[in-house]
Amino acid sequence: MNQPRIAIAGMWHETNAFGPHAATMARFEEYELLEGDGILQRHRGVKSVIGGFIDGIEKIGAHPVPTFSAGAWPGGPAPAHVMSALFERLHTCMLQAMEDGPLAGVVVNLHGAMTAEGFPDVEAETVRVIRSVVGPETPIGAVLDLHANPTQTFVEQCNVVVCYDTYPHVDMWERGAEVASLVGQGIQGRKLRTLVGKTSLLTVPPSQGTSEEPMRGILHRAGGTARAAGIDRISICAGFAYTLTDRAGLSALVVHDQDEHARATGVADAVVADIDSCAAQFAVSRPSVTQAVTAALSPDAPAPVILADLADNIGGGSAGDGTALLSELLARGARGVLAIIADPEVAALAHSQGEGSVITCNLGGKFDQLHGAPITVTARVVRTTTGTYTTEGSYMTGQTFHMGPTTVLDIGNGAATVLVNSRPTPPFHREQFTHAGVDPSGAKVIVAKGAIAWRSAYGDDAGLVIEVDTPGACALNLKTLKVAALTARS
């Protein structure tokens, strides 16, 4: 008996309307732009969504058929011509997959908050392209990021849609395997559908950690509501406010049998009402840069102190070259600081001068006017690397990442150790430092450019965590951010 063939596809990007790094084709090429067997080679044995797809498909006795996968680190919208080219490649690869036989199902790795010029709902358009090849009856399952803003148009084109259950995101493989299993049930004849319940409540990443309130309680109660109604699966999308689309807000995704629509609707309505009742708990207020640095430099502060640079959250599409915290720390005479700044000019200068050289440069603050001004430093080049590392941590375990030419600078003879990379890379992995011979646990102060996800890399080290209200593309105050962005672009 022939194995059913299940296609694997991907179109992943978290789009920040204020992000300075547009999702150009080069950004996709740097992160992931793969066809056919290249997808299997990159993801087999990796704890990614697609790795979960592969393992889940094979576990149910089906055959994985890799087609096309595009992904880029979060940032600004993709230009229209880039998005059109990606859709064309997806369409071509899906047609090629059909040449070897019919596809029994499709699993898709999506983000859920991806927009592009001319394409306000990339996820819906991605599934439309797939449907144009496989037809209306083929089961399609999708995995979304917890920060998704799913639309009804998108969800209606799928059979199964779930999002990550965790933030930091440590269950990506599990969600891929789960969706593969559910699509397998669809192939066997189970008529599954998904509906979305939405609230317009906008929240910011520091309030969305799933091990803390209010998200922890919302998730727990949502699961109980679903079980009481006989519904197998519900997931909660915390949303991504920085897309600036009318689809932003928290959502409940309810997977149900086709004849259980009424019960599923009742569950979604109840969960959305519960979310709205928690609105006040999502309010976020954090210390200023000056206040945070004062606390971090207190003699009683247990090392290492993690200063979370909330607005320069690279995983949310910010610049990655914010200087506010590093500038304040240096001005206040701090010692033992560890930080990462994305600055391809300085990285290139360090590589050209070589290890052991002393350079004077303007560091950071160059991608836009939202993340602070460059700071002039004199530093010793401790080490230069290619910026390539493979993570052993909990985020995409086993995957290789490329930061571009990278250097380690010693500023002020031990005042600050700064890893300068060429490509802004979210602080999800200790290996960003350890691949260059730097041990984060030895620092007194670590500047982490993220909201929550950095905890998967440094959470076990932290003596004290201070989340800081910094300037940048992921600012806590959305109204202030809009004004600042308009001013910077005028």
Side-chain angles (χ1 to χ4, degrees):
M1 181 178 179
N2 291 332
Q3 291 178 309
R5 305 172 71 242
I6 300 179
I8 297 173
M11 191 74 73
W12 191 95
H13 183 254
E14 184 174 70
T15 305
N16 187 320
F18 307 105
H21 308 295
T24 62
M25 194 63 77
R27 295 270 289 178
F28 285 97
E29 291 169 348
E30 290 167 358
Y31 184 81
E32 179 158 309
L33 192 59
L34 300 171
E35 297 181 7
D37 288 343
I39 297 172
L40 298 182
Q41 293 168 8
R42 180 175 177 85
H43 289 280
R44 187 181 291 280
V46 173
K47 294 297 184 179
S48 61
V49 171
I50 294 179
F53 284 160
I54 296 167
D55 293 342
I57 290 169
E58 293 179 340
K59 183 176 180 179
I60 63 174
H63 178 68
V65 181
T67 61
F68 177 71
S69 179
W73 280 126
H81 70 278
V82 170
M83 203 67 248
S84 295
L86 294 176
F87 284 138
E88 183 176 346
R89 290 181 65 173
L90 171 64
H91 185 260
T92 298
C93 289
M94 290 298 302
L95 287 173
Q96 291 172 344
M98 293 283 282
E99 292 176 358
D100 295 327
L103 294 171
V106 184
V107 289
V108 195
N109 178 37
L110 300 169
H111 186 280
M114 183 175 183
T115 64
E117 293 177 0
F119 300 94
D121 189 349
V122 171
E123 287 78 18
E125 183 64 16
T126 299
V127 181
R128 188 200 66 77
V129 170
I130 293 171
R131 282 276 179 223
S132 73
V133 176
V134 303
E137 301 302 322
T138 303
I140 295 179
V143 175
L144 304 180
D145 190 286
L146 178 134
H147 295 103
N149 299 318
T151 64
Q152 188 67 27
T153 301
F154 156 67
V155 171
E156 286 178 350
Q157 296 183 76
C158 301
N159 297 89
V160 172
V161 184
V162 304
C163 73
Y164 313 156
D165 289 330
T166 60
Y167 181 38
H169 308 317
V170 297
D171 65 328
M172 302 169 80
W173 179 92
E174 287 81 358
R175 300 289 72 76
E178 177 187 14
V179 165
S181 176
L182 290 169
V183 167
Q185 293 177 35
I187 293 170
Q188 295 298 317
R190 187 180 183 188
K191 302 296 184 182
L192 287 170
R193 304 296 302 173
T194 303
L195 63 81
V196 58
K198 296 203 60 89
T199 170
S200 59
L201 177 63
L202 296 180
T203 62
V204 291
S207 67
Q208 297 170 341
T210 54
S211 63
E212 301 170 356
E213 298 298 339
M215 282 296 294
R216 179 174 60 184
I218 289 171
L219 288 164
H220 177 74
R221 292 189 296 275
T225 300
R227 287 189 296 273
I231 297 296
D232 287 350
R233 186 64 164 98
I234 185 170
S235 48
I236 306 297
C237 302
F240 189 64
Y242 305 106
T243 54
L244 291 189
T245 65
D246 56 8
R247 63 185 171 115
L250 278 84
S251 308
L253 294 167
V254 185
V255 179
H256 61 93
D257 288 290
Q258 188 169 277
D259 59 0
E260 294 179 341
H261 180 79
R263 274 194 290 167
T265 299
V267 168
D269 290 346
V271 171
V272 167
D274 182 47
I275 292 171
D276 282 336
S277 74
C278 297
Q281 297 180 51
F282 282 102
V284 173
S285 178
R286 297 293 186 268
S288 68
V289 170
T290 300
Q291 292 169 333
V293 170
T294 297
L297 298 184
S298 167
D300 298 329
V305 177
I306 308 292
L307 293 177
D309 190 345
L310 298 182
D312 195 12
N313 175 6
I314 302 171
S318 67
D321 71 340
T323 57
L325 282 169
L326 181 60
S327 178
E328 183 73 10
L329 286 162
L330 292 175
R332 301 273 289 274
R335 306 287 298 175
V337 174
L338 187 59
I340 299 179
I341 296 280
D343 192 324
E345 293 180 5
V346 171
L349 174 63
H351 274 253
S352 68
Q353 296 300 305
E355 295 180 359
S357 64
V358 175
I359 61 174
T360 298
C361 59
N362 291 324
L363 178 64
K366 298 171 184 172
F367 289 129
D368 62 16
Q369 297 178 40
L370 295 177
H371 295 82
I375 52 178
T376 301
V377 300
T378 297
R380 179 172 61 89
V381 179
V382 177
R383 187 167 286 104
T384 58
T385 79
T386 62
T388 298
Y389 67 90
T390 299
T391 178
E392 298 178 359
S394 56
Y395 181 88
M396 290 191 178
T397 310
Q399 186 158 327
T400 299
F401 296 89
H402 307 279
M403 299 186 292
T406 296
T407 186
V408 177
L409 300 182
D410 175 12
I411 300 173
N413 192 28
T417 298
V418 181
L419 186 140
V420 182
N421 52 17
S422 299
R423 300 169 186 158
T425 307
F428 298 155
H429 318 117
R430 296 176 65 85
E431 290 82 7
Q432 289 180 332
F433 284 120
T434 59
H435 95 280
V438 178
D439 181 4
S441 64
K444 293 183 179 179
V445 178
I446 299 175
V447 178
K449 292 186 175 297
I452 299 289
W454 61 265
R455 297 182 186 185
S456 63
Y458 312 118
D460 292 340
D461 292 322
L464 173 66
V465 175
I466 306 174
E467 296 179 340
V468 192
D469 187 358
T470 51
C474 293
L476 296 183
N477 189 325
L478 293 171
K479 293 181 180 179
T480 301
L481 177 58
K482 292 178 184 178
V483 171
L486 290 172
T487 302
R489 292 170 183 173
S490 63

